[in-house]
């Protein structure tokens, strides 16, 4: 396995670039725009939408294996390619269970893994009538308000996730959404103590490697900071590792996946979401681990032995730099200022245009002692330079 096709050409594919070079692999990327980050590091590019399966057929002719940096694919059409012998890692049956948030939750429940309580809005409406009748919904009453509603497909970075305070709020969100027919996952609001995440990988022969569990911090449903390692008990850590191993094993998964979790106030772990690819919560591994999540993904899908996932520093903090305006400014000055902070690594994704909330870059700061307070101080410093006051 030498030539790896990657569906999606955003920053996650871009960050595979240096690992591919190190391992002597070629990357061929399918992505819609010449300006997408990974085009600059790819050996070859198929310029086409991520869900264009005809383009993926062309991609397959240039590659030994195809993997994903983005899950907005057309699984039905890709399955026809798989039947013709195209090798996808992770394999498509695993993606089929994970791409729809409701199906994913049902699968987690089937495996006996803990999740927030949930139901499918469409099924509830089939019982009670229409959106107007939601006040009669026993499922809503059972979960109580606030509730969280999530579009079942194509949500990301909190887009498509809404916290609703009451029935009126729920009705208006559902009525005015673009999602038809009402394909929402509805779930209990979890008043969590912390949000956690873990990156895990499985090789073709079933070996499993997990990274240290991290704490993620969100603002308005978007990840702003990740602290590695999370300050949790060994019991919580063991439980999360067990969840990761169960999932990878049961899915027959090959590659890297990211698991987002809630830690409740009474120290219970609930799985929020699985991302079947490398994940923002694992970016710290580029600088703070022996093997980055991107190298691990390539190792797994190319049948190479998995690498060591241990931390090489006692502590690391990753800060996302999100767009705060529509502009084409490349922010050279701010980038230089941030890089003056000791032991920081800045990854500028090279996107041609910034938009509010768009992930433009991330910074990882490495600490020689495990000092959460200090880590938060560095993150504050980075954000003060980046965001206008
Ligand atoms: P996305 O896939 O768009 O990232 P998530 O399901 O991960 O959406 O939700 C984004 C964020 O919204 C979470 O990280 C968390 O902060 C908040 N959130 C999501 N679901 C819940 C919930 N059930 N209870 C409380 N907060 C939630």
């Amino acid at each position: 396995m030498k030539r790896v096709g990657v569906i999606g050409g955003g920053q996650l594919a871009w960050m595979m670039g240096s690992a591919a070079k190190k391992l002597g692999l070629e990357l061929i990327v399918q992505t819609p725009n010449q300006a997408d980050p990974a085009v600059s590091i790819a050996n070859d590019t198929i310029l086409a939408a991520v869900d264009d399966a005809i383009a993926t057929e062309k991609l397959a002719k240039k590659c030994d294996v195809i993997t994903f940096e983005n899950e907005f694919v057309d699984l039905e059409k890709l399955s026809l390619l798989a039947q013709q012998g195209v090798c996808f890692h992770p394999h498509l049956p695993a993606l089929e269970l994970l791409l729809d948030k409701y199906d994913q939750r049902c699968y987690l429940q089937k495996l006996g893994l803990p999740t927030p309580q949930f139901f499918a809005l469409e099924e509830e409406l089939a019982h009670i009538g229409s959106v107007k009748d939601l006040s009669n919904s026993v499922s809503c009453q059972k979960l109580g308000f606030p509730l969280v509603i999530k579009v079942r497909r194509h949500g990301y970075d909190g887009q498509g996730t809404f916290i609703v305070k009451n029935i009126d709020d729920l009705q208006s969100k559902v009525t005015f959404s673009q999602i038809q027919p009402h394909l929402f996952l509805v779930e209990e609001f979890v008043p969590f103590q912390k949000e956690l995440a873990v990156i895990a990988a499985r090789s073709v022969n079933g070996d499993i490697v997990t990274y240290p569990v991290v704490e993620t911090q969100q603002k308005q449903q978007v990840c702003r900071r990740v602290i590695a390692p999370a300050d949790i008990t060994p019991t919580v850590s063991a439980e999360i590792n067990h969840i990761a191993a169960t999932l990878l094993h049961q899915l027959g998964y090959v590659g890297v996946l990211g698991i987002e979790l809630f830690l409740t106030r009474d120290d219970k772990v609930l799985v929020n979401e699985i991302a079947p690819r490398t994940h923002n919560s694992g970016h710290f591994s580029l600088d703070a681990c022996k093997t980055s999540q991107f190298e691990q993904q390539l190792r797994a899908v190319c049948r190479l032995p998995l690498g060591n996932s241990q931390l090489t520093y006692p502590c690391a903090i990753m800060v996302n730099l999100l767009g705060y305006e529509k502009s084409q400014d490349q922010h050279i000055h701010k980038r230089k200022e941030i890089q003056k902070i000791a032991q920081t690594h800045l990854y500028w994704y090279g996107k041609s245009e910034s938009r509010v909330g768009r992930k433009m870059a991330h910074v990882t700061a490495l600490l020689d002692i495990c000092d959460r307070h200090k880590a938060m101080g560095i993150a504050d410093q980075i954000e003060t330079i980046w965001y206008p006051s």
Side-chain angles (χ1 to χ4, degrees):
M1 298 269 182
K2 278 274 172 213
R3 300 168 306 161
V4 181
V6 184
I7 300 187
Q11 64 266 21
L12 299 178
W14 176 71
M15 284 184 269
M16 287 178 181
S18 58
K21 231 182 218 162
K22 175 179 163 189
L23 298 172
L25 304 170
E26 277 179 36
L27 289 185
I28 301 114
V29 170
Q30 175 178 338
T31 197
N33 299 308
Q34 186 69 35
D36 290 341
V39 173
S40 66
I41 55 91
N43 296 81
D44 196 358
T45 307
I46 304 271
L47 278 183
V50 163
D51 64 356
D52 179 344
I54 295 172
T56 306
E57 194 172 1
K58 289 186 197 142
L59 177 71
K61 294 208 169 89
K62 293 170 181 268
C63 308
D64 304 310
V65 59
I66 293 180
T67 191
F68 306 87
E69 78 108 48
N70 176 311
E71 56 268 30
F72 302 156
V73 293
D74 184 338
L75 267 190
E76 236 169 82
K77 290 196 182 136
L78 292 189
S79 300
L80 299 175
L81 298 181
Q83 280 164 25
Q84 291 160 25
V86 175
C87 176
F88 291 99
H89 282 323
H91 64 168
L92 305 183
L95 294 188
E96 203 165 343
L97 292 163
L98 300 179
L99 293 196
D100 176 302
K101 287 188 191 223
Y102 174 69
D103 294 347
Q104 186 185 105
R105 281 292 173 77
C106 293
Y107 182 64
L108 292 167
Q109 201 173 48
K110 191 176 134 201
L111 295 182
L113 300 177
T115 71
Q117 294 183 67
F118 66 95
F119 63 89
L121 182 65
E122 205 191 16
E123 286 175 20
E124 186 66 5
L125 291 177
H127 285 125
I128 60 171
S130 73
V131 177
K132 280 193 234 97
D133 306 310
L134 271 170
S135 51
N136 301 328
S137 158
V138 177
S139 302
C140 283
Q141 282 157 19
K142 201 175 126 207
L143 300 192
F145 284 93
L147 281 175
V148 182
I149 65 168
K150 299 178 176 181
V151 293
R152 288 173 55 169
R153 283 267 348 237
H154 299 141
Y156 70 101
D157 286 351
Q159 312 251 0
T161 292
F162 310 98
I163 297 170
V164 294
K165 291 191 210 81
N166 50 42
I167 285 283
D168 291 346
D169 207 5
L170 174 61
Q171 281 168 331
S172 64
K173 276 279 169 336
V174 171
T175 308
F176 296 113
S177 89
Q178 306 291 322
I179 307 295
Q180 293 294 340
H182 307 299
L183 286 175
F184 282 99
L185 164 72
V186 184
E187 66 186 39
E188 66 175 309
F189 177 83
V190 180
F192 51 79
Q193 173 197 146
K194 273 182 196 154
E195 287 191 79
L196 303 173
V198 72
I199 299 291
R202 184 174 174 275
S203 71
V204 173
N205 52 19
D207 293 337
I208 287 176
V209 158
T210 51
Y211 283 78
V213 176
V214 297
E215 177 182 344
T216 66
Q217 294 187 344
Q218 273 60 229
K219 252 193 203 168
Q220 279 144 4
Q221 280 100 262
V222 183
C223 180
R224 296 290 286 263
R225 298 174 178 188
V226 172
I227 307 138
D231 183 12
I232 49 172
T233 63
T235 314
V236 168
S237 175
E239 193 178 337
I240 292 174
N241 282 314
H242 168 74
I243 289 170
T246 305
L247 260 168
L248 288 169
H249 177 67
Q250 292 292 332
L251 288 166
Y253 196 91
V254 173
V256 164
L257 57 70
I259 308 176
E260 296 174 55
L261 311 113
F262 299 124
L263 184 65
T264 66
R265 287 180 188 153
D266 52 355
D267 267 356
K268 281 205 192 92
V269 171
L270 300 174
V271 181
N272 174 28
E273 190 171 35
I274 317 294
R277 52 172 165 75
T278 54
H279 191 253
N280 192 189
S281 64
H283 290 359
F284 72 96
S285 63
L286 278 168
D287 305 293
C289 293
K290 290 204 166 134
T291 312
S292 77
Q293 62 166 345
F294 304 101
E295 179 177 340
Q296 204 72 279
Q297 172 78 355
L298 292 172
R299 287 183 162 276
V301 307
C302 291
R303 299 176 166 267
L304 297 168
L306 296 182
N308 184 329
S309 58
Q310 275 169 6
L311 280 171
T312 49
Y313 280 80
C315 177
I317 178 141
M318 191 280 318
V319 182
N320 279 329
L321 304 185
L322 304 178
Y324 50 81
E325 59 177 1
K326 194 170 156 57
S327 95
Q328 292 180 341
D329 192 340
Q330 293 296 300
H331 296 293
I332 306 287
H333 179 67
K334 288 187 179 194
R335 283 154 61 182
K336 280 194 181 143
E337 283 302 299
I338 291 170
Q339 281 167 315
K340 282 184 194 159
I341 302 169
Q343 303 202 121
T344 54
H345 299 263
L346 189 150
Y347 293 81
W348 184 256
Y349 304 150
K351 296 180 182 177
S352 51
E353 189 173 82
S354 167
R355 291 192 296 272
V356 176
R358 193 174 195 202
K359 286 179 177 148
M360 300 304 294
H362 77 263
V363 186
T364 302
L366 303 168
L367 281 84
D368 295 320
I369 47 164
C370 205
D371 182 341
R372 194 174 188 282
H373 186 69
K374 192 171 172 200
M376 285 300 142
I378 297 171
D380 289 343
Q381 208 183 339
I382 292 168
E383 288 181 351
T384 305
I385 297 170
W386 176 250
Y387 296 103
S389 47

